[in-house]
Amino acid sequence: MKKKFIISVLLLLAVAFTDEARAETGNLPARVLVVIAHPDDESTIAVTLYKIAKEQHGIVDLFVITNGEGGYKYATLAENYYGLALTDEKTGRENLPRIRKKELMNAGNILGVNEYYFLDQTDDHYTENEKEALDTSWDVPVVKERLNQVLKHNNYDFVFCLLPENPTHGAHKAATLLALETVAALPAAKRPVILGATLHSKADAPVSFHRYSNYPVTQTVNDSCVFCLDRTARFSYRDKMNYKVIANWEIAEHKSQGVTQMTMNEGDLEQYWYFSVNGNTGLAKARALFDELSKVPYVSRVY
């Protein structure tokens, strides 16, 4: 009995030492939580998640605040696919929570998602006002408490969320605000590095972002993105392929959302802003992650 106790203590110490070493050195594979408002929001950073989970064998979990039932207006083509009148508001709101969860898990199978946390909050309607979700639609204390539990239990290295740009969907901004506030409330030594993401095309003007509205927690260290992943990195025979293939596979699973389907092949760069709430200690850790993500592990064959 005494021997078993000693072994247990040694194992616990080994785990604690490993976690501390990973935190200090930024060693991969990484553990990542993605905080989003709707199923399909993860599509913005699909290739980053794929490379972490599938190529680096890290952990990617999704924290999804609503089931996206407010997207019934865009389900026209999905009506024949699912055999339901999904563009009828009553039918859509009754059936889309089940459908969109399943679509997300199908997409997650492609990306290598490990775990899903569904909060089942109301997805009311499109608005650019984050206060509708925060003050009316969502039970904010419940969401923040659950997020706090998930963060503490899983010891993540990173939290990814969508950059709270203006104008964007208010629920996207609300989800990011809750993520930032919850991470900021953790003890500094226990905080994961939190990054805000957006998808950008090389032909478009650079995105500038420093802070959203009157929310100091959204302040970033730079106006421009600090880290970036290039979906157009080429590989395979005669460099005929790139990572947009993965993004298109993932988007294709969200069949109930016609507007999402229309974004196939859009976006070249998954860009990330570093929030000031992280301090400077997480910069090296994030840089190590994105240095690894920039590598293409596929060896070109000669035929």
Side-chain angles (χ1 to χ4, degrees), residues 165-203:
E165 300 175 273
N166 191 23
T168 52
H169 198 314
H172 294 174
K173 292 181 281 195
T176 297
L177 286 166
L178 295 184
L180 282 163
E181 290 169 0
T182 305
V183 168
L186 294 172
K190 297 292 185 180
R191 288 178 199 161
V193 177
I194 182 165
L195 304 175
T198 188
L199 184 60
H200 185 69
S201 294
K202 292 179 180 179

Side-chain angles (χ1 to χ4, degrees), residues 5-178:
F5 174 76
I6 293 172
I7 292 173
S8 297
V9 170
L10 290 173
L11 286 172
L12 288 171
L13 289 172
V15 169
F17 176 79
T18 301
D19 287 343
E20 183 177 356
R22 289 177 76 252
E24 290 178 354
T25 65
N27 286 345
L28 301 176
R31 300 178 61 88
V32 176
L33 181 68
V34 185
V35 179
I36 50 178
H38 315 100
D40 80 5
D41 290 348
E42 83 294 339
S43 300
T44 297
I45 54 172
V47 176
T48 299
L49 303 184
Y50 174 86
K51 287 178 71 69
I52 290 171
K54 293 287 194 174
E55 293 181 359
Q56 298 180 353
H57 309 292
I59 295 294
V60 171
D61 295 342
L62 301 185
F63 187 94
V64 190
I65 297 176
T66 81
N67 300 321
E69 67 273 16
Y72 66 90
K73 297 175 182 177
Y74 307 111
T76 304
L77 292 174
E79 290 189 316
N80 285 334
Y81 184 82
Y82 288 112
L84 293 165
L86 294 172
T87 58
D88 171 74
E89 182 171 4
K90 183 175 185 297
T91 304
R93 288 190 180 278
E94 286 177 353
N95 289 278
L96 280 174
R98 167 182 55 84
I99 289 171
R100 295 199 67 183
K101 283 181 180 179
K102 179 61 176 174
E103 289 176 343
L104 179 61
M105 288 188 280
N106 289 341
N109 285 339
I110 292 168
L111 301 182
V113 171
N114 171 67
E115 186 64 83
Y116 304 84
Y117 299 96
F118 292 107
L119 275 292
D120 301 321
Q121 298 296 300
T122 300
D123 182 31
D124 199 355
H125 61 275
Y126 180 85
T127 174
E128 293 179 4
N129 185 357
E130 72 284 350
K131 292 186 181 297
E132 289 197 27
L134 295 174
D135 297 345
T136 305
S137 301
W138 299 353
D139 188 335
V140 169
V142 166
V143 174
K144 291 180 77 170
E145 176 58 28
R146 182 63 177 134
L147 180 55
N148 183 61
Q149 292 171 356
V150 171
L151 289 171
K152 287 182 175 179
H153 179 73
N154 292 302
N155 193 29
Y156 295 104
D157 299 296
F158 298 93
V159 169
F160 295 158
C161 52
L162 300 186
L163 191 69
E165 300 175 273
N166 191 23
T168 52
H169 198 314
H172 294 174
K173 292 181 281 195
T176 297
L177 286 166
L178 295 184

